[in-house]
Amino acid sequence: MARQVGLKDIHIALLTNDDNTGTTYDVPSKLERAISAKLSPRSNSENIYSDDSVEDIITAFEGVDVEIEINQLSLESRAKVQGAKVVSGVLIESKNDSPPTLALGFRSKKNNGKYRYVWLLKGKFELAEDEYDTEGEKPQPKSAKLKGTFFARDYDGNYRFIADEDTTGIDQAIITSWFTAVPDEPAVI
């Protein structure tokens, strides 16, 4: 089995509707160049005891903690993920800003040259941290880091789609349209 060796094409899409009628997203937009992504699913488990031993374990999904690092975060991208605004080229951040609910997608190259495609379907990012250093003899470039939490959609309980382009039976139309729209759950054939 091929291993993950790369990361690129991080996209976000605004979630505009998530209720019992379905989900709707805006067209995905690409963030800046990808450096790393860490997805840490969280669950809560409870042991159920009977007859002096564990009878069952009940597990509940809590969400996915996400940390992504990109080479930079443009003012426009920062405004999108934080719910701020850019006016005449100036980022304006307010205490009243509310981060929007987004989907997060990307692809990861495998050592066989094919890609794994991922969409986290619903979540929010925290305010971006800034780090600056004075210029010295040796350059110390800084990258941008975003942290967020993603969770299940109200509509269907789904929280993530993963597709490997080299999986037997994969619909190539899903792969080719991965970043043009957040994909729907594939129909059972």
Side-chain angles (χ1 to χ4, degrees):
M1 176 172 268
R3 294 182 182 262
Q4 306 309 127
V5 297
L7 174 68
K8 66 188 303 182
D9 298 330
I10 295 178
H11 285 69
I12 56 171
L14 181 67
L15 176 62
T16 57
N17 182 63
D18 178 24
D19 60 23
N20 63 352
T21 64
T23 56
T24 308
Y25 297 89
D26 282 352
V27 174
S29 60
K30 189 174 184 294
L31 289 181
E32 287 69 29
R33 297 174 63 92
I35 296 174
S36 67
K38 180 179 179 183
L39 312 179
S40 303
R42 288 181 288 110
S43 61
N44 189 356
S45 296
E46 185 70 32
N47 292 343
I48 307 298
Y49 293 91
S50 64
D51 284 341
D52 297 333
S53 65
V54 175
E55 172 189 335
D56 198 0
I57 299 173
I58 307 286
T59 302
F61 173 75
E62 291 181 355
V64 179
D65 292 330
V66 174
E67 295 179 30
I68 62 173
E69 184 175 1
I70 53 180
N71 70 329
Q72 62 178 329
L73 190 59
S74 70
L75 298 181
E76 292 79 15
S77 293
R78 188 171 176 146
K80 284 180 188 177
V81 300
Q82 293 183 174
K85 61 184 175 184
V86 176
V87 177
S88 298
V90 176
L91 174 67
I92 301 171
E93 296 176 315
S94 167
K95 68 177 185 173
N96 298 318
D97 291 344
S98 178
T101 304
L102 304 166
L104 172 71
F106 59 87
R107 65 183 178 150
S108 174
K109 189 174 186 178
K110 300 191 291 185
N111 65 351
N112 66 0
K114 301 297 183 181
Y115 284 89
R116 169 167 286 176
Y117 291 79
V118 176
W119 271 107
L120 291 167
L121 302 172
K122 182 178 183 180
K124 293 186 176 198
F125 284 105
E126 298 172 7
L127 296 177
E129 294 181 13
D130 296 312
E131 186 177 335
Y132 304 98
D133 283 330
T134 190
E135 187 175 359
E137 292 179 17
K138 185 175 179 183
Q140 296 179 345
K142 301 296 179 194
S143 56
K145 296 176 180 141
L146 292 171
K147 293 180 183 178
T149 302
F150 285 73
F151 40 95
R153 297 189 299 198
D154 295 337
Y155 171 63
D156 54 12
N158 292 336
Y159 71 92
R160 176 169 52 181
F161 292 153
I162 301 174
D164 287 336
E165 72 175 313
D166 56 345
T167 296
T168 303
I170 186 73
D171 181 350
Q172 288 303 312
I174 293 171
I175 299 301
T176 57
S177 64
W178 196 258
F179 296 120
T180 58
V182 176
D184 293 325
E185 182 174 335
V188 177
I189 298 175

